[in-house]
Amino acid sequence: MNQTATTHQKVMRAVIYLVGIVTLAVGITLNTITGLGVSPLISMPFCVSQIWSLSFPVMTFIAYSAFVGIQFLLRGKHSRIRDLLQLPFSLVFSGLLSLCGMVLDFTLPHLWQNLLLLVLGIVLTGVGAAMTVNMRLVANPADALAQTVGEVTKKGMGLGKNIIDFSAVGITLLIGLIAVHRPVGIGVGTVVAMIGIGRVVAIFNHFFKEKMNRAAGLE
């Protein structure tokens, strides 16, 4: 492989990674805009911030830090020090979510419109999660944890994503019911996303993972 090809692959890897991050942030934001419930990815920090009037970015960072810790526990002696880079990534990604929230500041009046927006949000979230994790750089801690669970169970990231999302929503429901006796941030959109995002990841990887990895020099 010549130097030009190597450089091209590095650029492709960076482009795919950055596009994946933005796609993930937009997907999560669209999910929230629908008013049908927040994404499973951010349901726990959102719930805690709403109940106790705490900073949502700070709560997100704390939740992501816990996700990194769980990864180290699951990987055991196979843990990687570079996974700690997920912590500064979390700060940047929280800022990107805030920016997307400001740019995509709109509401839709009809239920059918919000349902279509929900489907789009789920697809973008799944695609963005798969793209960032597949590039093997620094992934969103929740998605990196999903990949770790998929590796540990030997069932792939798609199922790992479903497991993490189900767990996050379950914990969020428990927090809301104990603290204020009602669900906070959880709605039909959360439930649909909880099932759909993992399936989108699995389908996307089935058709595109090998091609993306080849383009990025990761074969």
Side-chain angles (χ1 to χ4, degrees), residues 62-113:
I62 292 174
Y64 282 177
S65 298
F67 292 158
V68 175
I70 295 172
Q71 288 178 60
F72 274 83
L73 289 175
L74 292 176
R75 290 184 183 276
K77 64 180 181 180
H78 301 294
S79 298
R80 301 167 299 190
I81 297 300
R82 72 181 180 90
D83 286 339
L84 292 175
L85 293 174
Q86 293 173 32
L87 297 178
F89 173 91
S90 299
L91 293 175
V92 175
F93 189 71
S94 296
L96 182 58
L97 284 176
S98 298
L99 178 61
C100 286
M102 290 187 290
V103 173
L104 300 172
D105 185 16
F106 65 89
T107 57
L108 297 175
H110 302 295
L111 177 60
W112 67 268
Q113 293 173 323

Short mmCIF file of all heavy atoms in Angstrom, two decimals, residues 62-113:
data_model
loop_
_atom_site.label_atom_id
_atom_site.label_comp_id
_atom_site.label_asym_id
_atom_site.label_seq_id
_atom_site.Cartn_x
_atom_site.Cartn_y
_atom_site.Cartn_z
N ILE A 62 -21.53 12.69 34.30
CA ILE A 62 -21.45 11.71 35.40
C ILE A 62 -21.92 10.34 34.93
O ILE A 62 -21.30 9.31 35.23
CB ILE A 62 -22.28 12.19 36.61
CG1 ILE A 62 -21.63 13.43 37.24
CG2 ILE A 62 -22.41 11.08 37.65
CD1 ILE A 62 -22.44 14.06 38.35
N ALA A 63 -23.03 10.31 34.19
CA ALA A 63 -23.54 9.03 33.67
C ALA A 63 -22.54 8.39 32.72
O ALA A 63 -22.28 7.19 32.79
CB ALA A 63 -24.87 9.26 32.96
N TYR A 64 -21.95 9.20 31.83
CA TYR A 64 -20.97 8.67 30.89
C TYR A 64 -19.73 8.16 31.61
O TYR A 64 -19.12 7.16 31.19
CB TYR A 64 -20.58 9.75 29.88
CG TYR A 64 -21.61 9.97 28.78
CD1 TYR A 64 -21.42 10.97 27.83
CD2 TYR A 64 -22.75 9.19 28.70
CE1 TYR A 64 -22.34 11.17 26.81
CE2 TYR A 64 -23.68 9.39 27.70
CZ TYR A 64 -23.47 10.38 26.75
OH TYR A 64 -24.39 10.56 25.75
N SER A 65 -19.33 8.84 32.68
CA SER A 65 -18.18 8.38 33.47
C SER A 65 -18.47 7.00 34.06
O SER A 65 -17.59 6.13 34.10
CB SER A 65 -17.87 9.37 34.59
OG SER A 65 -17.52 10.65 34.06
N ALA A 66 -19.71 6.81 34.51
CA ALA A 66 -20.11 5.50 35.04
C ALA A 66 -20.05 4.44 33.95
O ALA A 66 -19.63 3.30 34.18
CB ALA A 66 -21.50 5.57 35.64
N PHE A 67 -20.46 4.81 32.73
CA PHE A 67 -20.41 3.87 31.60
C PHE A 67 -18.96 3.43 31.32
O PHE A 67 -18.71 2.26 31.02
CB PHE A 67 -21.00 4.50 30.34
CG PHE A 67 -22.48 4.75 30.41
CD1 PHE A 67 -23.09 5.69 29.58
CD2 PHE A 67 -23.27 4.04 31.29
CE1 PHE A 67 -24.45 5.91 29.64
CE2 PHE A 67 -24.65 4.25 31.36
CZ PHE A 67 -25.24 5.19 30.54
N VAL A 68 -18.04 4.38 31.42
CA VAL A 68 -16.62 4.04 31.21
C VAL A 68 -16.15 3.07 32.28
O VAL A 68 -15.45 2.10 32.00
CB VAL A 68 -15.75 5.32 31.21
CG1 VAL A 68 -14.27 4.95 31.13
CG2 VAL A 68 -16.12 6.23 30.04
N GLY A 69 -16.54 3.33 33.53
CA GLY A 69 -16.17 2.44 34.62
C GLY A 69 -16.70 1.02 34.42
O GLY A 69 -15.98 0.04 34.68
N ILE A 70 -17.93 0.92 33.94
CA ILE A 70 -18.53 -0.41 33.70
C ILE A 70 -17.77 -1.13 32.59
O ILE A 70 -17.58 -2.36 32.65
CB ILE A 70 -20.02 -0.27 33.34
CG1 ILE A 70 -20.80 0.30 34.53
CG2 ILE A 70 -20.61 -1.62 32.92
CD1 ILE A 70 -22.24 0.65 34.20
N GLN A 71 -17.32 -0.38 31.58
CA GLN A 71 -16.54 -1.01 30.51
C GLN A 71 -15.27 -1.66 31.07
O GLN A 71 -14.92 -2.79 30.70
CB GLN A 71 -16.14 0.04 29.47
CG GLN A 71 -17.26 0.53 28.59
CD GLN A 71 -16.77 1.60 27.63
OE1 GLN A 71 -15.88 1.36 26.81
NE2 GLN A 71 -17.35 2.79 27.72
N PHE A 72 -14.59 -0.94 31.97
CA PHE A 72 -13.36 -1.48 32.57
C PHE A 72 -13.67 -2.74 33.38
O PHE A 72 -12.89 -3.69 33.37
CB PHE A 72 -12.70 -0.42 33.44
CG PHE A 72 -11.78 0.50 32.67
CD1 PHE A 72 -12.28 1.60 31.99
CD2 PHE A 72 -10.42 0.25 32.62
CE1 PHE A 72 -11.45 2.44 31.28
CE2 PHE A 72 -9.57 1.08 31.90
CZ PHE A 72 -10.08 2.17 31.23
N LEU A 73 -14.80 -2.75 34.07
CA LEU A 73 -15.18 -3.92 34.85
C LEU A 73 -15.45 -5.12 33.94
O LEU A 73 -15.05 -6.26 34.23
CB LEU A 73 -16.42 -3.62 35.70
CG LEU A 73 -16.21 -2.66 36.88
CD1 LEU A 73 -17.55 -2.37 37.55
CD2 LEU A 73 -15.24 -3.26 37.89
N LEU A 74 -16.16 -4.88 32.82
CA LEU A 74 -16.50 -5.97 31.91
C LEU A 74 -15.28 -6.50 31.16
O LEU A 74 -15.17 -7.71 30.92
CB LEU A 74 -17.56 -5.50 30.91
CG LEU A 74 -18.95 -5.21 31.47
CD1 LEU A 74 -19.87 -4.66 30.38
CD2 LEU A 74 -19.57 -6.48 32.07
N ARG A 75 -14.38 -5.60 30.79
CA ARG A 75 -13.20 -6.03 30.04
C ARG A 75 -12.14 -6.66 30.93
O ARG A 75 -11.33 -7.46 30.46
CB ARG A 75 -12.59 -4.83 29.29
CG ARG A 75 -13.43 -4.33 28.13
CD ARG A 75 -12.69 -3.22 27.39
NE ARG A 75 -13.49 -2.66 26.31
CZ ARG A 75 -13.57 -3.18 25.10
NH1 ARG A 75 -12.89 -4.27 24.82
NH2 ARG A 75 -14.31 -2.61 24.17
N GLY A 76 -12.13 -6.30 32.20
CA GLY A 76 -11.14 -6.86 33.12
C GLY A 76 -9.72 -6.57 32.67
O GLY A 76 -9.36 -5.43 32.40
N LYS A 77 -8.91 -7.61 32.55
CA LYS A 77 -7.50 -7.42 32.18
C LYS A 77 -7.34 -6.96 30.74
O LYS A 77 -6.24 -6.56 30.33
CB LYS A 77 -6.74 -8.73 32.39
CG LYS A 77 -7.21 -9.88 31.50
CD LYS A 77 -6.40 -11.14 31.78
CE LYS A 77 -6.85 -12.30 30.87
NZ LYS A 77 -6.06 -13.52 31.13
N HIS A 78 -8.40 -7.02 29.97
CA HIS A 78 -8.35 -6.57 28.58
C HIS A 78 -8.73 -5.09 28.44
O HIS A 78 -8.89 -4.59 27.33
CB HIS A 78 -9.28 -7.41 27.71
CG HIS A 78 -8.95 -8.87 27.71
ND1 HIS A 78 -7.78 -9.38 27.18
CD2 HIS A 78 -9.63 -9.95 28.21
CE1 HIS A 78 -7.74 -10.69 27.33
NE2 HIS A 78 -8.85 -11.06 27.94
N SER A 79 -8.88 -4.40 29.56
CA SER A 79 -9.23 -2.98 29.52
C SER A 79 -8.13 -2.18 28.84
O SER A 79 -6.94 -2.53 28.90
CB SER A 79 -9.45 -2.45 30.95
OG SER A 79 -10.52 -3.11 31.57
N ARG A 80 -8.55 -1.07 28.19
CA ARG A 80 -7.59 -0.25 27.46
C ARG A 80 -7.55 1.15 28.07
O ARG A 80 -8.58 1.78 28.28
CB ARG A 80 -8.00 -0.15 25.99
CG ARG A 80 -8.09 -1.50 25.29
CD ARG A 80 -8.78 -1.42 23.95
NE ARG A 80 -10.17 -0.96 24.10
CZ ARG A 80 -11.06 -0.98 23.11
NH1 ARG A 80 -10.71 -1.42 21.93
NH2 ARG A 80 -12.27 -0.56 23.32
N ILE A 81 -6.34 1.63 28.34
CA ILE A 81 -6.18 2.95 28.95
C ILE A 81 -6.76 4.04 28.05
O ILE A 81 -7.32 5.03 28.52
CB ILE A 81 -4.68 3.23 29.23
CG1 ILE A 81 -4.13 2.23 30.23
CG2 ILE A 81 -4.50 4.66 29.76
CD1 ILE A 81 -4.83 2.24 31.58
N ARG A 82 -6.67 3.83 26.73
CA ARG A 82 -7.19 4.85 25.80
C ARG A 82 -8.69 5.04 25.93
O ARG A 82 -9.23 6.05 25.47
CB ARG A 82 -6.80 4.53 24.37
CG ARG A 82 -7.54 3.36 23.73
CD ARG A 82 -7.03 3.13 22.32
NE ARG A 82 -7.70 2.03 21.64
CZ ARG A 82 -8.78 2.17 20.90
NH1 ARG A 82 -9.33 3.36 20.77
NH2 ARG A 82 -9.34 1.14 20.29
N ASP A 83 -9.38 4.08 26.56
CA ASP A 83 -10.83 4.24 26.75
C ASP A 83 -11.14 5.41 27.68
O ASP A 83 -12.26 5.93 27.68
CB ASP A 83 -11.44 2.96 27.33
CG ASP A 83 -11.53 1.84 26.28
OD1 ASP A 83 -11.51 2.17 25.08
OD2 ASP A 83 -11.60 0.67 26.66
N LEU A 84 -10.14 5.85 28.46
CA LEU A 84 -10.33 7.01 29.34
C LEU A 84 -10.54 8.28 28.52
O LEU A 84 -11.06 9.28 29.04
CB LEU A 84 -9.13 7.18 30.28
CG LEU A 84 -8.96 6.09 31.35
CD1 LEU A 84 -7.68 6.32 32.13
CD2 LEU A 84 -10.17 6.08 32.31
N LEU A 85 -10.16 8.26 27.25
CA LEU A 85 -10.39 9.41 26.38
C LEU A 85 -11.87 9.66 26.15
O LEU A 85 -12.27 10.72 25.67
CB LEU A 85 -9.68 9.22 25.03
CG LEU A 85 -8.15 9.21 25.05
CD1 LEU A 85 -7.60 8.87 23.68
CD2 LEU A 85 -7.63 10.57 25.51
N GLN A 86 -12.70 8.67 26.50
CA GLN A 86 -14.14 8.86 26.39
C GLN A 86 -14.64 9.95 27.34
O GLN A 86 -15.70 10.54 27.11
CB GLN A 86 -14.87 7.55 26.70
CG GLN A 86 -14.65 6.46 25.68
CD GLN A 86 -15.26 5.15 26.11
OE1 GLN A 86 -16.28 5.11 26.79
NE2 GLN A 86 -14.64 4.03 25.74
N LEU A 87 -13.88 10.22 28.41
CA LEU A 87 -14.31 11.25 29.37
C LEU A 87 -14.24 12.65 28.76
O LEU A 87 -15.25 13.38 28.79
CB LEU A 87 -13.48 11.15 30.65
CG LEU A 87 -13.64 9.82 31.41
CD1 LEU A 87 -12.73 9.80 32.64
CD2 LEU A 87 -15.09 9.61 31.83
N PRO A 88 -13.10 13.08 28.20
CA PRO A 88 -13.11 14.40 27.53
C PRO A 88 -14.05 14.42 26.33
O PRO A 88 -14.65 15.45 26.02
CB PRO A 88 -11.65 14.61 27.10
CG PRO A 88 -11.01 13.27 27.18
CD PRO A 88 -11.74 12.52 28.24
N PHE A 89 -14.20 13.27 25.64
CA PHE A 89 -15.17 13.20 24.54
C PHE A 89 -16.57 13.52 25.04
O PHE A 89 -17.34 14.21 24.36
CB PHE A 89 -15.15 11.79 23.94
CG PHE A 89 -16.24 11.56 22.91
CD1 PHE A 89 -16.01 11.81 21.57
CD2 PHE A 89 -17.49 11.11 23.28
CE1 PHE A 89 -17.01 11.62 20.62
CE2 PHE A 89 -18.49 10.91 22.35
CZ PHE A 89 -18.25 11.16 21.01
N SER A 90 -16.89 13.05 26.24
CA SER A 90 -18.23 13.28 26.80
C SER A 90 -18.50 14.76 26.97
O SER A 90 -19.62 15.24 26.72
CB SER A 90 -18.35 12.58 28.16
OG SER A 90 -18.17 11.19 28.03
N LEU A 91 -17.49 15.51 27.39
CA LEU A 91 -17.66 16.96 27.55
C LEU A 91 -17.94 17.62 26.21
O LEU A 91 -18.84 18.47 26.09
CB LEU A 91 -16.39 17.56 28.19
CG LEU A 91 -16.10 17.16 29.63
CD1 LEU A 91 -14.77 17.74 30.08
CD2 LEU A 91 -17.22 17.64 30.55
N VAL A 92 -17.18 17.24 25.20
CA VAL A 92 -17.37 17.81 23.86
C VAL A 92 -18.74 17.43 23.30
O VAL A 92 -19.44 18.26 22.73
CB VAL A 92 -16.24 17.34 22.91
CG1 VAL A 92 -16.51 17.83 21.49
CG2 VAL A 92 -14.89 17.82 23.40
N PHE A 93 -19.11 16.17 23.47
CA PHE A 93 -20.37 15.70 22.92
C PHE A 93 -21.56 16.36 23.61
O PHE A 93 -22.57 16.67 22.96
CB PHE A 93 -20.47 14.18 23.05
CG PHE A 93 -21.65 13.59 22.31
CD1 PHE A 93 -21.65 13.55 20.93
CD2 PHE A 93 -22.73 13.08 23.00
CE1 PHE A 93 -22.74 13.02 20.24
CE2 PHE A 93 -23.82 12.55 22.32
CZ PHE A 93 -23.82 12.52 20.93
N SER A 94 -21.45 16.59 24.92
CA SER A 94 -22.52 17.30 25.63
C SER A 94 -22.71 18.70 25.07
O SER A 94 -23.84 19.18 24.91
CB SER A 94 -22.20 17.37 27.13
OG SER A 94 -22.16 16.09 27.70
N GLY A 95 -21.58 19.36 24.74
CA GLY A 95 -21.66 20.68 24.12
C GLY A 95 -22.29 20.62 22.74
O GLY A 95 -23.06 21.51 22.36
N LEU A 96 -21.99 19.55 21.99
CA LEU A 96 -22.58 19.39 20.66
C LEU A 96 -24.08 19.18 20.76
O LEU A 96 -24.85 19.70 19.94
CB LEU A 96 -21.92 18.21 19.94
CG LEU A 96 -22.40 17.92 18.51
CD1 LEU A 96 -22.18 19.14 17.61
CD2 LEU A 96 -21.66 16.71 17.95
N LEU A 97 -24.53 18.43 21.76
CA LEU A 97 -25.96 18.24 21.97
C LEU A 97 -26.65 19.57 22.27
O LEU A 97 -27.75 19.84 21.76
CB LEU A 97 -26.21 17.27 23.13
CG LEU A 97 -25.98 15.78 22.86
CD1 LEU A 97 -26.17 14.98 24.14
CD2 LEU A 97 -26.92 15.27 21.78
N SER A 98 -25.99 20.40 23.07
CA SER A 98 -26.56 21.72 23.38
C SER A 98 -26.66 22.57 22.12
O SER A 98 -27.65 23.27 21.90
CB SER A 98 -25.70 22.43 24.43
OG SER A 98 -25.68 21.71 25.64
N LEU A 99 -25.62 22.50 21.28
CA LEU A 99 -25.62 23.26 20.03
C LEU A 99 -26.74 22.79 19.10
O LEU A 99 -27.46 23.60 18.51
CB LEU A 99 -24.26 23.11 19.33
CG LEU A 99 -24.12 23.81 17.97
CD1 LEU A 99 -24.32 25.32 18.11
CD2 LEU A 99 -22.76 23.51 17.35
N CYS A 100 -26.90 21.47 18.99
CA CYS A 100 -27.98 20.92 18.15
C CYS A 100 -29.34 21.35 18.67
O CYS A 100 -30.26 21.64 17.90
CB CYS A 100 -27.89 19.40 18.12
SG CYS A 100 -26.54 18.74 17.12
N GLY A 101 -29.47 21.41 19.99
CA GLY A 101 -30.72 21.85 20.59
C GLY A 101 -31.06 23.28 20.24
O GLY A 101 -32.24 23.63 20.05
N MET A 102 -30.02 24.13 20.13
CA MET A 102 -30.25 25.53 19.77
C MET A 102 -30.56 25.68 18.28
O MET A 102 -31.42 26.47 17.88
CB MET A 102 -29.02 26.36 20.15
CG MET A 102 -28.83 26.55 21.65
SD MET A 102 -27.49 27.70 22.06
CE MET A 102 -26.06 26.73 21.55
N VAL A 103 -29.85 24.92 17.44
CA VAL A 103 -30.05 25.03 15.99
C VAL A 103 -31.38 24.41 15.58
O VAL A 103 -32.12 24.98 14.76
CB VAL A 103 -28.89 24.33 15.25
CG1 VAL A 103 -29.17 24.29 13.74
CG2 VAL A 103 -27.58 25.06 15.51
N LEU A 104 -31.68 23.25 16.15
CA LEU A 104 -32.93 22.55 15.81
C LEU A 104 -34.01 22.89 16.83
O LEU A 104 -34.60 22.03 17.47
CB LEU A 104 -32.68 21.03 15.78
CG LEU A 104 -31.62 20.56 14.78
CD1 LEU A 104 -31.33 19.08 14.97
CD2 LEU A 104 -32.08 20.83 13.34
N ASP A 105 -34.26 24.16 16.95
CA ASP A 105 -35.23 24.65 17.94
C ASP A 105 -36.59 24.85 17.27
O ASP A 105 -36.95 25.94 16.84
CB ASP A 105 -34.73 25.96 18.54
CG ASP A 105 -35.63 26.45 19.67
OD1 ASP A 105 -36.44 25.65 20.17
OD2 ASP A 105 -35.52 27.64 20.05
N PHE A 106 -37.35 23.76 17.16
CA PHE A 106 -38.66 23.84 16.54
C PHE A 106 -39.56 22.76 17.12
O PHE A 106 -39.10 21.81 17.77
CB PHE A 106 -38.56 23.68 15.02
CG PHE A 106 -38.09 22.32 14.58
CD1 PHE A 106 -38.99 21.28 14.35
CD2 PHE A 106 -36.73 22.07 14.38
CE1 PHE A 106 -38.55 20.02 13.94
CE2 PHE A 106 -36.29 20.82 13.98
CZ PHE A 106 -37.20 19.80 13.76
N THR A 107 -40.85 22.91 16.89
CA THR A 107 -41.82 21.90 17.30
C THR A 107 -42.77 21.64 16.13
O THR A 107 -42.98 22.50 15.29
CB THR A 107 -42.64 22.35 18.52
OG1 THR A 107 -43.28 23.59 18.22
CG2 THR A 107 -41.75 22.51 19.75
N LEU A 108 -43.33 20.46 16.10
CA LEU A 108 -44.28 20.09 15.06
C LEU A 108 -45.67 19.92 15.69
O LEU A 108 -45.79 19.33 16.76
CB LEU A 108 -43.85 18.80 14.37
CG LEU A 108 -42.51 18.87 13.63
CD1 LEU A 108 -42.12 17.51 13.08
CD2 LEU A 108 -42.56 19.89 12.50
N PRO A 109 -46.72 20.42 15.03
CA PRO A 109 -48.05 20.46 15.65
C PRO A 109 -48.81 19.14 15.64
O PRO A 109 -49.70 18.94 16.46
CB PRO A 109 -48.79 21.52 14.83
CG PRO A 109 -48.15 21.46 13.48
CD PRO A 109 -46.69 21.15 13.74
N HIS A 110 -48.48 18.25 14.71
CA HIS A 110 -49.30 17.05 14.54
C HIS A 110 -48.56 15.79 14.99
O HIS A 110 -47.35 15.67 14.81
CB HIS A 110 -49.73 16.92 13.08
CG HIS A 110 -50.50 18.09 12.56
ND1 HIS A 110 -51.74 18.45 13.05
CD2 HIS A 110 -50.17 19.01 11.61
CE1 HIS A 110 -52.17 19.53 12.40
NE2 HIS A 110 -51.24 19.90 11.53
N LEU A 111 -49.32 14.84 15.52
CA LEU A 111 -48.73 13.60 16.01
C LEU A 111 -48.03 12.84 14.89
O LEU A 111 -46.93 12.31 15.09
CB LEU A 111 -49.82 12.72 16.65
CG LEU A 111 -49.36 11.35 17.15
CD1 LEU A 111 -48.29 11.49 18.21
CD2 LEU A 111 -50.55 10.54 17.67
N TRP A 112 -48.66 12.76 13.71
CA TRP A 112 -48.05 12.00 12.61
C TRP A 112 -46.71 12.59 12.20
O TRP A 112 -45.77 11.86 11.82
CB TRP A 112 -49.00 11.93 11.41
CG TRP A 112 -49.25 13.23 10.69
CD1 TRP A 112 -50.25 14.13 10.92
CD2 TRP A 112 -48.47 13.77 9.61
NE1 TRP A 112 -50.16 15.19 10.06
CE2 TRP A 112 -49.08 15.00 9.24
CE3 TRP A 112 -47.34 13.35 8.93
CZ2 TRP A 112 -48.57 15.80 8.23
CZ3 TRP A 112 -46.83 14.14 7.91
CH2 TRP A 112 -47.45 15.36 7.57
N GLN A 113 -46.58 13.94 12.29
CA GLN A 113 -45.31 14.58 11.97
C GLN A 113 -44.24 14.19 12.99
O GLN A 113 -43.08 13.91 12.65
CB GLN A 113 -45.49 16.09 11.94
CG GLN A 113 -46.37 16.59 10.81
CD GLN A 113 -46.65 18.07 10.90
OE1 GLN A 113 -46.82 18.63 11.99
NE2 GLN A 113 -46.70 18.74 9.75
#
